């Protein structure tokens, strides 16, 4: 199979397929946002169809909610669920402590709330997301529209005293207009190049007036499943302190997934 899948899609797919196997009957599962999380939603829908698995999903964006409903997954809101067994999501970067940068897809606020309200968070990612130091990927910060330029200026002032290598901040755009999140907010991307103290930065950013949340996920992720283009996966478990390896086979039926877009 999988002649049609690019190596990066294979990497995302095998990570997603492994993560889907962590979902058990009756669980309430946080469904992340982004292209890797979309593979997860497809793999879960496949398990539902082929094994009759029953579970409820709490989506972290309108995009994920639409995909999950299209595929027949039962959706509940976080307020209905209150607490989740597991959240599975992608990430833009992760380090050896499984701290993350998230929000490249603009859903960091719901993603952080849902992950924090879960017994366990599993991140699925291709191997390119592993970094020695967080910060090469611009750090997304969600701000309310009112006075966003003031919030931006205050954030730039704050960054002067932070252990970072770059300090440029940009307003995320969607064409000619500012990008708008599911909560009606904007996103400032912080081009920091290297973050020396992610924990300190995460706390400090949330003190800036107008900031709703930032994309640093510190001590939230329990397991990263990292996929490779040849079907290999690595399972990094921060609580057990283990790294396991496995090979996931592609099946002819996996072609079902190729024509589904994020
Ligand atoms: C969305 C996110 C995504 O998980 C992150 O951007 C990774 O996306 P992808 O799997 O498409 O690389 O944080 O807000």
């Amino acid at each position: 199979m999988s002649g049609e899948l690019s190596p990066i899609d294979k990497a995302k797919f095998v990570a997603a397929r492994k993560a889907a196997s962590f979902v058990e009957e009756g669980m309430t599962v946080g469904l992340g946002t982004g292209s890797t999380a979309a593979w997860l939603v497809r793999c879960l829908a496949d398990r539902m169809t082929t094994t009759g698995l029953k579970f409820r999903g709490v989506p972290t964006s309108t995009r994920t909610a639409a995909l999950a409903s299209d595929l027949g997954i039962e959706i509940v809101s976080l307020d209905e669920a209150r607490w989740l067994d597991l959240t599975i999501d992608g990430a833009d970067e992760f380090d050896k402590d499984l701290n993350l940068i998230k929000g490249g897809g603009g859903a960091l606020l719901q993603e952080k709330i849902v992950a924090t309200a879960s017994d366990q968070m599993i991140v699925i990612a291709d191997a390119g997301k592993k970094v020695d130091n967080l910060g090469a990927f611009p750090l997304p910060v969600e701000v309310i529209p009112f006075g966003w330029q003031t919030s931006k200026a205050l954030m730039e002032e704050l960054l002067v005293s932070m252990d970072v290598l770059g300090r440029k901040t940009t307003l995320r755009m969607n064409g000619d207009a500012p990008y708008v999140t599911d909560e009606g907010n904007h996103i400032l991307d912080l081009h920091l190049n290297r973050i020396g103290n992610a924990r300190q930065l995460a706390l400090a950013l949330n003190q800036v007036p107008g900031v709703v949340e930032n994309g640093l996920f510190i001590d939230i992720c329990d397991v990263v499943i990292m996929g490779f283009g040849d079907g290999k996966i690595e399972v990094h478990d921060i609580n057990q302190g283990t790294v396991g390896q496995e090979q996931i086979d592609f099946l002819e039926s996996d072609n079902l997934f190729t024509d589904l877009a994020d």
Side-chain angles (χ1 to χ4, degrees):
M1 167 265 165
S2 71
E4 297 93 354
L5 282 185
S6 67
I8 190 100
D9 274 332
K10 281 188 198 169
K12 292 175 183 184
F13 171 61
V14 290
R17 170 158 280 187
K18 176 66 182 177
S21 72
F22 283 74
V23 176
E24 293 170 13
E25 185 73 14
M27 275 189 169
T28 303
V29 182
L31 305 172
T33 296
S35 57
T36 321
W39 282 104
L40 182 263
V41 175
R42 293 166 203 151
C43 288
L44 285 174
D46 186 52
R47 272 199 71 197
M48 244 172 48
T49 322
T50 56
T51 70
L53 174 76
K54 288 193 177 51
F55 70 98
R56 306 186 303 170
V58 177
T60 54
S61 63
T62 49
R63 267 168 291 160
T64 297
L67 177 63
S69 321
D70 280 355
L71 294 174
I73 293 174
E74 183 189 345
I75 295 300
V76 288
S77 70
L78 180 58
D79 284 332
E80 285 169 286
R82 299 291 186 92
W83 195 258
L84 293 79
D85 297 289
L86 171 66
T87 282
I88 305 172
D89 201 348
D92 299 301
E93 284 186 350
F94 68 93
D95 69 10
K96 65 172 177 29
D97 298 320
L98 308 195
N99 290 325
L100 320 170
I101 287 184
K102 284 186 52 57
L108 67 104
L109 178 56
Q110 290 190 22
E111 289 172 338
K112 197 181 265 193
I113 298 172
V114 170
T116 305
S118 303
D119 283 340
Q120 192 185 28
M121 181 194 197
I122 297 178
V123 159
I124 47 179
D126 59 87
K129 305 288 182 66
K130 185 167 190 251
V131 296
D132 290 335
N133 278 286
L134 297 174
F137 190 92
L139 174 64
V141 179
E142 184 155 342
V143 293
I144 65 165
F146 176 84
W148 70 264
Q149 304 206 50
T150 302
S151 299
K152 180 175 184 286
L154 290 168
M155 223 178 290
E156 283 164 357
E157 199 178 304
L158 167 78
L159 289 175
V160 174
S161 61
M162 292 286 133
D163 181 9
V164 291
L165 275 187
R167 292 186 171 84
K168 196 174 142 205
T169 62
T170 52
L171 179 69
R172 191 177 298 183
M173 302 297 287
N174 182 11
D176 292 338
Y179 178 86
V180 179
T181 68
D182 277 349
E183 276 68 39
N185 296 317
H186 294 329
I187 288 189
L188 294 170
D189 289 307
L190 312 190
H191 303 261
L192 309 174
N193 300 327
R194 183 184 184 282
I195 300 171
N197 188 336
R199 188 179 305 272
Q200 180 195 41
L201 181 63
L203 290 172
L205 282 171
N206 283 11
Q207 301 305 311
V208 175
V211 168
V212 182
E213 193 47 86
N214 68 81
L216 283 166
F217 283 48
I218 309 293
D219 294 340
I220 295 177
C221 173
D222 299 285
V223 172
V224 169
I225 302 177
M226 185 165 69
F228 295 81
D230 62 359
K232 192 180 84 179
I233 54 157
E234 273 182 19
V235 181
H236 297 248
D237 186 321
I238 196 74
N239 303 314
Q240 306 288 332
T242 54
V243 180
Q245 286 197 348
E246 226 175 281
Q247 186 73 30
I248 304 281
D249 289 328
F250 294 104
L251 306 171
E252 281 300 322
S253 58
D254 295 338
N255 275 323
L256 281 177
F257 299 116
T258 57
D259 55 358
L260 285 164
D262 175 9

